[in-house]
């Protein structure tokens, strides 16, 4: 029996994208957001370890498969 693995970005994907957004001073394009995701460093962890990491961090990371939608949602929540 194999356990499902989850991708965990180090540093968190949300942090990378928001930092790039702040540095640019305007909304990122879909291509920029996906490029940040694609070039980010991540590790694969079992579900329990991934949950523990998220709890220690204190905030939810962007889902890499839905990164564009989650970035847009973040923008709508902060404006």
């Amino acid at each position: 029996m194999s356990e499902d693995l989850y991708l965990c970005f180090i540093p968190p994907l949300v942090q990378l994208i928001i930092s790039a957004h702040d540095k640019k001073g305007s909304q990122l394009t879909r291509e920029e957001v996906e490029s940040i995701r694609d070039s980010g460093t991540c590790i694969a962890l079992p579900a329990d370890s991934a949950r523990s990491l998220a709890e220690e961090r204190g905030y939810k990371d962007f889902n890499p498969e839905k990164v564009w939608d989650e970035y847009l949602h973040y923008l709508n929540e902060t404006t």
Side-chain angles (χ1 to χ4, degrees):
M1 178 165 72
S2 65
E3 188 172 357
D4 288 337
L5 297 176
Y6 292 87
L7 296 180
C8 297
F9 282 78
I10 310 294
L13 190 53
V14 64
Q15 187 178 27
L16 294 171
I17 291 171
I18 300 312
S19 176
H21 171 95
D22 291 345
K23 185 175 181 181
K24 182 178 179 182
S26 62
Q27 182 173 331
L28 301 172
T29 66
R30 183 181 194 124
E31 291 77 22
E32 289 169 324
V33 169
E34 291 175 350
S35 176
I36 293 166
R37 176 204 56 202
D38 293 347
S39 63
T41 301
C42 65
I43 56 175
L45 295 175
D48 288 343
S49 296
R51 270 192 298 278
S52 293
L53 181 63
E55 288 173 6
E56 286 176 27
R57 188 173 48 233
Y59 56 88
K60 182 179 170 285
D61 199 5
F62 286 161
N63 178 335
E65 294 178 6
K66 299 177 181 178
V67 68
W68 176 245
D69 292 332
E70 292 196 3
Y71 171 64
L72 292 177
H73 179 76
Y74 168 83
L75 292 178
N76 287 332
E77 293 293 311
T78 60
T79 55

